[in-house]
Amino acid sequence: RASHIREVLDAVYLLGGLAHVQGLQAILEQEIDLKVTVLNPFQNLATADGVEIPADYASYASALALAVRGVEE
């Protein structure tokens, strides 16, 4: 059994609607002493010309994952 979170985790990734709650990332980093990153599901995807990535991009992670999964099948 791990006595400290660092023994089992290297980093924490936030996604979904809560990922963009102001101050959450900083609080988590301080409390658990790990790097906390808001996951950007669009980071490695090309978008069509004129399509902008939404400001709350982490909220689209599940939908994007399902869409990509459908393309691969």
Side-chain angles (χ1 to χ4, degrees), residues 19-45:
H20 294 288
V21 171
Q22 187 174 359
L24 179 62
Q25 182 178 358
I27 290 169
L28 284 174
E29 284 182 339
Q30 181 180 349
E31 290 296 318
I32 63 176
D33 192 31
L34 282 174
K35 174 74 173 156
V36 176
T37 304
V38 175
L39 180 72
N40 182 349
F42 296 95
Q43 183 173 356
N44 295 318
L45 294 178

Side-chain angles (χ1 to χ4, degrees), residues 7-73:
E7 294 177 24
V8 293
L9 295 177
D10 296 322
V12 172
Y13 296 92
L14 299 176
L15 62 124
L18 287 177
H20 294 288
V21 171
Q22 187 174 359
L24 179 62
Q25 182 178 358
I27 290 169
L28 284 174
E29 284 182 339
Q30 181 180 349
E31 290 296 318
I32 63 176
D33 192 31
L34 282 174
K35 174 74 173 156
V36 176
T37 304
V38 175
L39 180 72
N40 182 349
F42 296 95
Q43 183 173 356
N44 295 318
L45 294 178
T47 56
D49 289 337
V51 174
E52 293 184 26
I53 295 173
D56 60 342
Y57 51 81
S59 299
Y60 295 85
S62 295
L64 188 58
L66 289 171
V68 169
R69 180 178 172 193
V71 170
E72 292 176 353
E73 289 181 352

